[in-house]
Amino acid sequence: MRKVAVLGATGSIGGNAADVLAANRDRYSVHTLAAKDNIDELCRQTALLSPQQVITASAEKYPQLAAKIGSRAVTGFGMEAMIEAVQQPDVDIVLCAIIGTGGILPVLAALEAGKTVALASKEVLVLAGELVMKAAARSGAIVPVDSEHSGVFQCLAGRRRDEIAKVWLTASGGPFRTWEKERIERAALSDALAHPTWSMGRKITIDSASMMNKALELVEARYLFGLEPEQLDVIINPQSIIHALVELTDGSMLAQMSAPDMRLAIAYGLSYPERLEKPGSKMDLAKLAELKFFAPDRNKFPSLEFAEHALRSGGTMPAVMNAANEVAVERFCNGEIEFGGIWRIVGKVMENTVSEPQTSLEQVLAADAEARAKARECR
Ligand code: MG
């Protein structure tokens, strides 16, 4: 029986994780459920999973949580409670699915305490990939939960480093793949939220439409797997059936395929190196009429250029790219800027920032804060 702490329990990944955990009660018990402020969903999952502890990040919502949970679990609030929870001796696995960079402190704390971190929050590695991977090399371990990275992880299993020529992340291409550039620039929020294959939270769905999600994932892959920038590339697979490809030095290509169902990557993140019995949708190859591939259009989607710049600069530049994007997406959702404005803001902030080597978390967070301030001022 392994004990799991779920951070970001009420988001899209958290909800899927609750499904997987509920279906595998014989293998996993839930130690902690933690989320921002969706108290109703925390209560639903508490009834379903009987955690020992339930935490909200919000001090204001805490009385409501405590009243509703009653004596069914220990309750707590704030970042400190989360950090304390992931370091408990009886916790084995920490599933981090907090949206944005908020997972950085609990992830570092969990690694320091020797835990396995099933990591869905790509922003944690984009913000401080060098520091996080150094921490993971000292103690604990990271198992990727992002679907593409879970795919790469599965393809790389048992391979020697000198066999690997290149790693390809696939992208669905998002809702704007076939749109003209001018139309994309003026797309409405509802257009950006209409993802063709994956059902996900709002921020990541908009990032998929702009392909900033793939930019973040390239950086994530670089740190997770210790790859050079030129060993990373993107290919569009609109069916979202192939999640990643690993090209070996002799030209052979290994692909990881599955239905676009996040429960599969979550389950593997929890069960690695073992596998669970059918944790999600199965794929019917006979019904799958075709698998198409396209090269991404870098002119229509400048995000991939940003990723290249961030990969080659390293240091704090990926954090700058991520922070500028988070602010730009927020401004787009608030109706302050057009969709194309997201790229203009990210491009401008990166252009006006000099990358520094990652030396400490404080320094990386300062670069993040500075990029956010610049992105708010951008016109
Ligand atoms: Mg992904």
Side-chain angles (χ1 to χ4, degrees), residues 18-57:
D19 266 12
V20 172
L21 291 166
N24 292 279
R25 287 174 214 276
D26 52 328
R27 285 169 167 259
Y28 302 103
S29 70
V30 178
H31 182 281
T32 296
L33 289 176
K36 192 176 171 192
D37 55 10
N38 186 344
I39 305 301
D40 288 342
E41 176 61 12
L42 272 176
C43 290
R44 183 192 77 83
Q45 289 190 19
T46 299
L48 180 71
L49 301 168
S50 314
Q52 286 168 236
Q53 199 176 166
V54 186
I55 298 170
T56 168

Side-chain angles (χ1 to χ4, degrees), residues 147-149 151-152 155 168-170 242-246 254-256:
S147 60
E148 295 79 359
H149 303 75
V152 174
C155 290
W168 297 81
L169 303 183
T170 57
I242 294 189
H243 306 297
L245 294 140
V246 170
L254 306 177
Q256 190 267 330

Side-chain angles (χ1 to χ4, degrees), residues 122 145-149 170 198 200 204 213-214 217 220 262:
K122 66 195 75 184
V145 170
D146 204 349
S147 60
E148 295 79 359
H149 303 75
T170 57
W198 288 99
M200 308 176 288
I204 186 171
N213 184 48
K214 219 42 62 179
E217 288 182 350
E220 184 187 7
M262 272 316 295

Side-chain angles (χ1 to χ4, degrees), residues 9-345:
T10 60
S12 167
I13 299 276
N16 279 302
D19 266 12
V20 172
L21 291 166
N24 292 279
R25 287 174 214 276
D26 52 328
R27 285 169 167 259
Y28 302 103
S29 70
V30 178
H31 182 281
T32 296
L33 289 176
K36 192 176 171 192
D37 55 10
N38 186 344
I39 305 301
D40 288 342
E41 176 61 12
L42 272 176
C43 290
R44 183 192 77 83
Q45 289 190 19
T46 299
L48 180 71
L49 301 168
S50 314
Q52 286 168 236
Q53 199 176 166
V54 186
I55 298 170
T56 168
S58 158
E60 293 96 86
K61 290 283 181 84
Y62 176 67
Q64 197 187 328
L65 176 78
K68 284 196 173 175
I69 299 290
S71 60
R72 281 182 294 162
V74 176
T75 53
F77 69 90
M79 183 55 78
E80 262 173 49
M82 247 184 257
I83 290 173
E84 206 177 295
V86 300
Q87 292 196 310
Q88 290 303 307
D90 51 345
V91 168
D92 300 297
I93 306 169
V94 176
L95 172 64
C96 179
I98 294 174
I99 298 164
T101 52
I104 184 73
L105 292 175
V107 163
L108 288 173
L111 289 172
E112 199 187 315
K115 313 299 183 191
T116 295
V117 176
L119 187 61
S121 309
K122 66 195 75 184
E123 292 89 345
V124 165
L125 284 172
V126 178
L127 175 75
E130 294 173 28
L131 301 173
V132 172
M133 293 315 288
K134 267 186 209 159
R138 280 195 299 270
S139 72
I142 295 182
V143 183
V145 170
D146 204 349
S147 60
E148 295 79 359
H149 303 75
S150 175
V152 174
F153 188 63
Q154 294 178 57
C155 290
L156 287 179
R159 295 279 147 211
R160 290 198 323 267
R161 295 220 61 93
D162 61 1
E163 288 179 280
I164 315 302
K166 206 164 180 176
V167 164
W168 297 81
L169 303 183
T170 57
S172 68
F176 303 147
R177 182 174 64 85
T178 57
W179 287 31
E180 292 301 321
K181 175 103 176 152
E182 295 69 36
R183 196 177 158 210
I184 303 175
E185 292 273 337
R186 291 192 181 78
L189 180 58
S190 56
D191 298 321
L193 290 177
H195 198 278
T197 48
W198 288 99
S199 150
M200 308 176 288
R202 178 163 149 138
K203 160 75 167 46
I204 186 171
T205 303
I206 293 170
D207 284 347
S208 295
S210 67
M211 289 199 77
M212 276 308 291
N213 184 48
K214 219 42 62 179
L216 300 174
E217 288 182 350
L218 285 166
V219 175
E220 184 187 7
R222 172 185 183 153
Y223 291 123
L224 266 176
F225 306 114
L227 298 162
E228 296 302 323
E230 53 277 11
Q231 286 181 294
L232 282 160
D233 216 331
V234 171
I235 187 86
I236 309 272
N237 169 227
Q239 292 81 17
S240 298
I241 291 295
I242 294 189
H243 306 297
L245 294 140
V246 170
E247 185 180 338
L248 304 178
T249 43
D250 62 359
S252 190
M253 282 198 154
L254 306 177
Q256 190 267 330
M257 300 168 66
S258 69
D261 180 335
M262 272 316 295
R263 287 175 297 182
L264 300 169
I266 293 166
Y268 196 60
L270 296 173
S271 67
Y272 170 80
E274 288 167 30
R275 286 181 188 269
L276 300 180
E277 288 286 319
K278 300 190 206 87
S281 331
K282 267 191 76 175
M283 200 172 57
D284 186 342
L285 278 178
K287 279 191 184 151
L288 183 72
E290 58 182 11
L291 269 182
K292 287 198 168 176
F293 297 97
F294 302 96
D297 186 333
R298 285 159 194 271
N299 176 42
K300 272 194 335 197
F301 297 96
S303 306
L304 298 176
E305 304 290 332
F306 301 152
E308 254 160 56
H309 178 39
L311 285 169
R312 288 186 196 287
S313 309
T316 53
M317 193 54 82
V320 169
M321 174 177 80
N322 175 62
N325 179 57
E326 276 193 30
V327 171
V329 169
E330 212 178 280
R331 291 183 62 182
F332 170 67
C333 290
N334 294 340
E336 282 176 54
I337 57 167
E338 293 194 313
F339 189 77
I342 296 175
W343 290 315
R344 267 184 294 284
I345 289 176

